[in-house]
Every structure is written in structure tokens, then in C-alpha cells.
Amino acid sequence: MDWSNLEYFLSVARGGSLSKAASKLDVNHSTVARRLDKLESDLNVKLFNRRNKGYELTKHGLALEQEAKVVEEQIFQIQRVFQSKEAELSGTLTVTKPMNGGVNMTSLFCDFKTHYPDIDIFLKSASAHTDLSSQEADLSIQLTNSPPDNLVGKKIGRLPINIYGSSDYFKNLKNMDIDELEWIVWVDESNALDMESFIRKNICDPKIIFKTNVYNEVFDYMSAGVGVSLISSFGLPPVHNLKRFMPDKYIFEQDLWLLYHPDVRGNAKINVFKKFLINNLDKYSNLSGIN
């Protein structure tokens, strides 16, 4: 049996379709189908029921999924152990940051590249928790008050989140009352953040007039004077027309964590980035929320 076929099997099991697995593995749709057929032939069992809605694991498929995950984790562990021995400050460092919350670290990454020119940065925006154990990333910068138990890291700040709107929008309000505000809500399709529920929990009967699953559009609508939303000053560009609404009364907070897998503690690239971020974060950001 070709052990690499297990990778294709797990991708289909997780994605539920050949197309999603092909996209994840960066191969053709037909390649995934051929690999599955070969695996089923080698094992002489049917692993999936082909449904209109997608691929559904059979009882044999469910059993193989559990065994394949064990093999996968062993392979990942071997890779992590040997990669962690790399002492040279060169190569690619993959870092994820949240697309929700508007965390802008452009200046920090530029300065890091100046200090460590041989380290190439692959920066990925992720709406959900990235699986660091499967090496989708080396480090993850996450907005969370409950970091995953299987990862290690450090809380590097506490982001203030305020109600923001444009100067013109606030000028046109009859009363500077929270009940008069019209809300723009970002919908996180990964369900990592539920902005609407948070707003409804903290504000009685909010007037929600716009919803969008594109985070940048929240800033665009606020800038256009359409309404208000929740955002951190950490995510704002240097020049903008937004103002905080009654910041002394309405402020919310979210922890900012730097997380990584425990098996890569000795990786030189990870360690220098972690140290650089922790030592310089205040230089590039305003975590006090004053804007």
C-alpha cells in the first residue's frame, strides 16, 4: 500500500468532497479520485459512500480515519523534531494573524525583515484557529481569551475594542445616545467570532442595518458614514476619519496571544520572531486604545 494515499483519504474525509481535497492538496480532481480508488483496492473495502451532497465515510472509512490520524501525527512529529533543529536564521517563517479584529502589524513585520533579511515571511490571515500541529503555520497571532490547551505561547497584549464611526456620522446624530446608533456587523463564517451576538449581549436592541462577511467592508461602510461597528485602534490605518463613541463608557477588550506548537520550542526562526514581537509590540501599536 502507498502510504501517501492516506493523505488523500484524510483530505477527502475532512473536506467531504474531491474538489475540496484537490484544492487543499493542490492537485487535480482526478488525482484524488485515482488515489482513493487505489486505496480502496489495496484494502479491499469501501471507504466512502458517494452521495449527492458529498463523500460520506463508511464504517470501514471511519475506522481507517482514526488509524490514519495516528500515522499522520507521527509523520508530523518527525518533521517537527527535525525542523526544530534548524539553527540557521534563514528560510520561510509562516505566521497567521486574525482577519477579524483588524490587527495591523505591517510596520512590525517590515522592521523584523530589516533585522533578519534571510528570513522570509509568509503571512496568512486566518478567520479560524490554524492547526499548528499539522504545520499549516509556524506561529499564530490570535485574538482569544481562551487559547487552545495543546499549544504554548504568551499573551502579548490586551486589545481595546471600541465603538467607531465617522466624524460626519456622529455630527448628524440627533442625540449622542447608544440607542440611536446604526450598526454594521461583520459575519465570521468560520464561527470563530460572533459580533452580532456580542453586540446584542452588551447593547439593548441595537439597530443593525448592514451585515457583511468581508471584514474590510466594515471599515469602508464606517468611513462612508453609514453607521458604527466594533473595532480596535490597533487595526486602523494611520490616516482615517473615524472617531470613538463615548470611549470612557463603552470599551471592550480581547486578549492577543502568540501561540506555537510545543515541539518547535527550539526552532531558531520562531524564537527570534517571538522575542522581537514581544520586545517591540508597544513600539508599533497602541494597546492602550488611545487614538
Side-chain angles (χ1 to χ4, degrees):
M1 184 182 75
D2 186 344
W3 292 102
S4 66
N5 289 339
L6 290 176
E7 180 182 14
Y8 288 78
F9 164 75
L10 283 174
S11 290
V12 176
R14 288 163 176 160
S17 71
L18 295 181
S19 59
K20 289 183 179 179
S23 176
K24 176 72 174 177
L25 296 168
D26 195 23
V27 297
N28 293 327
H29 179 282
S30 59
T31 301
V32 181
R34 186 173 65 254
R35 292 288 195 121
L36 279 187
D37 289 342
K38 185 65 169 66
L39 184 60
E40 288 184 327
S41 175
D42 289 343
L43 296 176
N44 196 30
V45 294
K46 185 177 181 181
L47 298 172
F48 292 96
N49 289 316
R50 279 69 168 174
R51 309 290 191 191
N52 290 333
K53 62 181 181 179
Y55 276 51
E56 183 180 272
L57 287 167
T58 64
K59 65 177 182 179
H60 294 298
L62 289 169
L64 179 61
E65 183 183 31
Q66 298 306 310
E67 299 299 328
K69 286 180 178 179
V70 174
V71 174
E72 179 187 53
E73 177 55 31
Q74 290 173 339
I75 292 172
F76 287 149
Q77 184 174 355
I78 292 171
Q79 292 174 337
R80 288 194 298 266
V81 168
F82 281 92
Q83 288 179 358
S84 69
K85 298 181 184 299
E86 297 178 355
E88 295 183 2
L89 298 179
S90 61
T92 300
L93 183 69
T94 303
V95 183
T96 68
K97 73 179 188 66
M99 62 178 63
N100 54 4
V103 177
N104 189 338
M105 293 185 167
T106 304
S107 297
L108 187 145
F109 280 106
C110 289
D111 206 2
F112 177 80
K113 183 63 179 173
T114 300
H115 282 78
Y116 301 96
D118 294 328
I119 298 179
D120 300 323
I121 298 292
F122 180 18
L123 186 61
K124 299 167 65 176
S125 291
S127 58
H129 292 321
T130 299
D131 189 356
L132 296 173
S133 63
S134 62
Q135 296 185 318
E136 292 179 25
D138 300 304
L139 291 162
S140 183
I141 298 168
Q142 295 183 7
L143 282 170
T144 178
N145 290 331
S146 301
D149 293 334
N150 64 317
L151 302 178
V152 295
K154 179 178 178 61
K155 186 171 79 171
I156 54 178
R158 190 157 174 79
L159 259 65
I161 299 173
N162 293 105
I163 303 170
Y164 273 90
S166 72
S167 301
D168 289 340
Y169 178 82
F170 291 134
K171 287 179 183 177
N172 292 328
L173 284 180
K174 294 181 179 178
N175 300 302
M176 285 294 283
D177 191 308
I178 196 169
D179 293 333
E180 297 296 318
L181 300 180
E182 297 167 302
W183 288 88
I184 303 159
V185 171
W186 178 65
V187 179
D188 180 5
E189 294 182 334
S190 72
N191 296 317
L193 177 70
D194 189 344
M195 183 182 287
E196 181 174 352
S197 293
F198 184 82
I199 291 172
R200 292 188 182 279
K201 179 180 178 181
N202 290 278
I203 299 161
C204 181
D205 195 24
K207 300 175 183 177
I208 297 175
I209 59 169
F210 266 100
K211 294 182 183 180
T212 175
N213 65 350
V214 181
Y215 189 82
N216 288 343
E217 288 187 351
V218 174
F219 177 80
D220 293 339
Y221 286 130
M222 285 193 296
S223 299
V226 174
V228 302
S229 192
L230 294 173
I231 193 171
S232 172
S233 59
F234 195 19
L236 293 174
V239 179
H240 59 84
N241 67 337
L242 301 182
K243 299 284 187 181
R244 292 179 299 164
F245 176 80
M246 302 178 68
D248 294 336
K249 184 174 183 180
Y250 299 108
I251 183 171
F252 313 96
E253 291 185 313
Q254 186 83 42
D255 288 343
L256 184 66
W257 282 80
L258 178 66
L259 301 170
Y260 52 95
H261 196 277
D263 288 349
V264 298
R265 293 175 195 256
N267 185 283
K269 294 191 296 291
I270 290 176
N271 286 334
V272 295
F273 180 83
K274 179 178 67 173
K275 183 177 180 180
F276 185 87
L277 176 62
I278 293 171
N279 290 343
N280 293 280
L281 189 64
D282 288 343
K283 174 181 175 183
Y284 301 102
S285 64
N286 187 355
L287 296 184
S288 67
I290 298 174
N291 184 55

